[in-house]
């Protein structure tokens, strides 16, 4: 895997894990319960109709509400990160490399300077 793709995969994984709680809340799966007039309430209504008036334990709606209320479990975060990394590698890697990304960093020395210079060098080595 080329450096551009690795950087894009890491960024995609991190972004997906960070964004997941906000996406749940925006859909209406909140710590206070399912928000009225939201996507979550529509899903809950459809699930209740399909199950004769109740929400089955372990259903998608129940799992999403549990994650909205208590947070996303570590195992689910790993899956979300893997999906985000895959999408980042597939989309971001080619975009970064084809854009002719270059890194011109003036490092002031030390560990941080060396790390930044190394990343800049990797990005600068990306080719279309």
């Amino acid at each position: 895997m080329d450096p551009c793709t690795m950087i894009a995969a890491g960024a995609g994984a991190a972004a997906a894990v960070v964004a997941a709680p906000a996406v749940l809340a925006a859909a209406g799966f909140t710590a206070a319960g399912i928000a009225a007039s939201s996507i979550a309430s529509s899903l809950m209504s459809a699930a209740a109709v399909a199950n004769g008036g109740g929400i089955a334990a372990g259903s998608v709606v129940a799992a999403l509400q549990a994650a909205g209320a208590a947070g996303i479990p570590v195992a689910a975060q790993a899956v979300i990160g893997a999906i985000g990394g895959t999408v980042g590698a597939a989309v971001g890697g080619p975009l970064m490399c084809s854009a002719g990304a270059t890194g011109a960093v003036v490092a002031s020395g030390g560990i941080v300077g060396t790390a930044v210079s190394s990343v800049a060098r990797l990005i600068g080595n990306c080719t279309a």
Side-chain angles (χ1 to χ4, degrees):
M1 184 182 300
D2 65 279
C4 289
T5 304
M6 289 191 302
I7 293 168
V17 171
V18 169
V23 171
L24 277 176
F29 296 102
T30 68
I34 291 182
S37 301
S38 65
I39 293 169
S41 66
S42 296
L43 290 172
M44 183 177 176
S45 175
V49 169
N51 289 315
I55 303 297
S59 68
V60 172
V61 173
L64 290 173
Q65 180 51 40
I72 300 172
V74 173
Q77 288 181 16
V79 171
I80 292 166
I83 293 168
T86 301
V87 171
V91 175
L95 287 176
M96 283 176 61
C97 291
S98 67
T102 59
V105 176
V106 178
S108 61
I111 295 173
V112 174
T114 303
V116 170
S117 295
S118 297
V119 170
R121 213 173 13 263
L122 287 173
I123 292 171
N125 290 334
C126 292
T127 58

